[in-house]
Amino acid sequence: KIYPSLEKIFDSSNPNRINCIRGTGSIKEKIIELGENIVTNLKKHEDKRLDISIDILQILLISEQLYNRENTDESASFSPITQQAIDYINEHFSEKITAEQIAKEIGYSTIYLSKSFKKDTGKPIYTYITEYRISKSTILLKEGYNVTEAGYSVGFGDCSNFIRTFKKINGI
């Protein structure tokens, strides 16, 4: 029996969703099995805390391995120009930045950068910047920032634009 909430953590059908596990096959089955063990032990046995803790630790270890594998594979597949652009975006996301500015800073033409970036990431630079800003704002909101502070902190100059973009990207 697969619990629907456990199955949801593997739903990567929305490319903007950043909080899912991209494991398949045996990895997915193992995580679901461990999750089911946790739920079963919680319902039936209060004296199974050690077993539950072990299952949780196994899920965390598998998740960490998946995360490390995905991040290593992803960044290794980027061309140097795209990696330089991503590094620049990561450092300057809270500022007003454009593809032209990034290209100038890293020493390439805007057209070449844009084509290379889209080929490597599957999205235009502006989209990547926007999604990166929204992911950073989500962290700030969880840390207690209000909406206005979060929006301005990640580079949105207009609160209503930030709210509209946040809702669009997060499907709200």
Side-chain angles (χ1 to χ4, degrees):
K1 177 180 174 185
I2 296 176
Y3 292 88
S5 59
L6 291 175
E7 190 69 30
K8 284 182 185 179
I9 66 172
F10 295 97
D11 180 15
S12 61
S13 60
N14 180 348
N16 295 323
R17 185 161 178 227
I18 57 173
N19 61 338
C20 66
I21 297 174
R22 302 206 191 303
T24 57
S26 63
I27 292 172
K28 179 179 175 180
E29 290 170 13
K30 182 65 177 174
I31 291 174
I32 290 174
E33 176 189 337
L34 291 167
E36 289 173 346
N37 289 346
I38 292 168
V39 171
T40 301
N41 286 329
L42 283 172
K43 286 182 179 178
K44 291 183 180 178
H45 311 284
E46 294 208 14
D47 60 333
K48 294 276 189 172
R49 288 185 180 190
L50 181 59
D51 291 342
I52 293 168
S53 297
I54 290 169
D55 288 340
I56 291 171
L57 285 173
Q58 287 180 340
I59 289 174
L60 291 173
L61 288 171
I62 291 169
S63 299
E64 180 185 22
Q65 290 167 351
L66 285 172
Y67 176 81
N68 289 335
R69 186 181 72 207
E70 285 180 4
N71 285 335
T72 302
D73 292 346
E74 185 178 286
S75 62
S77 67
F78 290 155
S79 66
I81 183 175
T82 299
Q83 191 59 56
Q84 288 177 324
I86 288 172
D87 292 344
Y88 185 87
I89 292 165
N90 292 350
E91 291 177 31
H92 300 275
F93 69 91
S94 63
E95 305 165 16
K96 182 177 180 182
I97 51 177
T98 63
E100 292 80 12
Q101 180 183 356
I102 296 168
K104 182 179 177 183
E105 289 292 326
I106 64 174
Y108 293 93
S109 75
T110 304
I111 292 171
Y112 182 69
L113 169 62
S114 296
K115 286 181 180 181
S116 178
F117 196 94
K118 181 153 186 178
K119 179 184 173 201
D120 288 347
T121 66
K123 56 187 83 173
I125 293 171
Y126 180 78
T127 301
Y128 182 91
I129 293 168
T130 303
E131 290 175 358
Y132 187 79
R133 286 175 170 165
I134 294 300
S135 71
K136 289 293 189 181
S137 72
T138 302
I139 294 167
L140 295 177
L141 291 168
K142 288 178 181 177
E143 290 176 355
Y145 282 64
N146 69 40
V147 174
T148 304
E149 292 171 331
Y152 286 123
S153 295
V154 298
F156 282 88
D158 177 337
C159 190
S160 62
N161 183 35
F162 167 67
I163 293 169
R164 184 173 47 255
T165 305
F166 187 92
K167 286 180 177 181
K168 179 181 176 187
I169 287 177
N170 288 305
I172 299 173

